Amino acid sequence: MRSLVTRRTATAAALAATALLATAAPAFAHVTVQPGTAAQGGYTAVAFRVPDESDTASTTKLEVTLPADHPVASVATEPIPGWTATAEKTKLATPIKTDDGDEITEAVSKVTWTADAGTKIAPGQFQDFRISLGPLPTDTDKVVFKALQTYDDGNVVRWIDEAAAGQPEPQHPAPTLTLTKAAADGDAHHPDAAPTTAAAESTSDTAARVLGIAGIVVGIIGGALGVLGLRRRTGDRS
């Protein structure tokens, strides 16, 4: 009898741990912006982190659309071996005025990275696509980048859903850059300013998430083992 109870309890613990990990896994599989925060009005460099979620197909193209309602005057891509980046520009309804008094009448509206022959993001791999941009808008607390991920089997995943306050995270959330108030010393406005603090916060947040999930799983298994031990002692006394 004790053997049957032991098997059932162990099975329940394993199922609970598996369900927990399955629930947490999607948070690490989305197309995201790294780091996830930057200063309003400043210049920064961010990477669109693209994991390959397919078991059989590889990623061969990424398209990222910049928001038309909050255009950015300067956008530059970082060269990636094996990938070709192209930028599309759109004429602005309202020109952007620079600090020098000039007007910018068009801005980058989309960046597309296409894999060269023999290059791909294989299943179980990821790739960072890095851009430099600025100045960031000062009249919003976030910049939403809608992205399309194309696989070599023809499947296209549309990372375009915006999260709503108080609602569960959508299945395919759009990469979102959270904007904070600019630093008082003005460093955030320098084109070469590096987002080291934001990057560290992003890394810490990811690490904390992983450790938290691992701790919960260990706690579930430990609780199950504790129950087994208690039942075994109770059975021995009887």
Side-chain angles (χ1 to χ4, degrees):
M1 181 65 179
R2 284 201 302 271
S3 177
L4 178 59
V5 172
T6 299
R7 287 198 300 271
R8 287 180 176 175
T9 306
T11 300
L15 289 174
T18 301
L20 178 63
L21 291 174
T23 302
F28 300 97
H30 299 334
V31 172
T32 58
V33 176
Q34 302 292 331
T37 60
Q40 292 178 338
Y43 289 79
T44 191
V46 298
F48 297 99
R49 180 158 296 172
V50 181
D52 190 281
E53 297 181 301
S54 174
D55 294 329
T56 58
S58 299
T59 299
T60 55
K61 186 166 70 173
L62 173 70
E63 301 168 75
V64 174
T65 299
L66 282 71
D69 55 344
H70 294 101
V72 179
S74 175
V75 177
T77 59
E78 182 178 69
I80 303 175
W83 293 83
T84 299
T86 57
E88 297 180 20
K89 290 187 176 182
T90 299
K91 188 174 181 61
L92 300 176
T94 302
I96 300 174
K97 292 185 177 181
T98 67
D99 295 337
D100 299 328
D102 298 330
E103 286 190 348
I104 297 176
T105 59
E106 61 179 13
V108 173
S109 56
K110 185 168 75 169
V111 179
T112 301
W113 288 268
T114 305
D116 299 338
T119 301
K120 60 186 177 181
I121 308 173
Q125 298 179 346
F126 76 91
Q127 175 69 53
D128 283 347
F129 297 88
R130 191 172 172 85
I131 66 171
S132 171
L133 71 165
L136 296 171
T138 57
D139 57 349
T140 182
D141 59 1
K142 65 180 180 180
V143 178
V144 179
F145 303 93
K146 296 188 177 183
L148 303 183
Q149 180 181 7
T150 301
Y151 288 85
D152 58 9
D153 62 357
N155 185 36
V156 178
V157 180
R158 300 169 60 85
W159 302 97
I160 63 173
D161 300 331
E162 295 190 41
Q167 298 296 318
E169 184 180 58
Q171 185 176 3
H172 296 104
T176 301
L177 179 66
T178 299
L179 300 182
T180 61
K181 296 296 182 181
D185 59 9
D187 286 345
H189 292 270
H190 195 282
D192 296 327
T196 52
T197 301
E201 290 176 353
S202 177
T203 302
S204 299
D205 180 65
T206 300
R209 241 187 263 179
V210 173
L211 292 175
I213 292 170
I216 295 173
V217 172
V218 171
I220 292 173
I221 296 175
L225 293 176
V227 171
L228 290 176
L230 178 61
R231 290 181 173 175
R232 185 173 298 172
R233 288 195 298 271
T234 303
D236 291 342
R237 290 173 184 173
S238 60

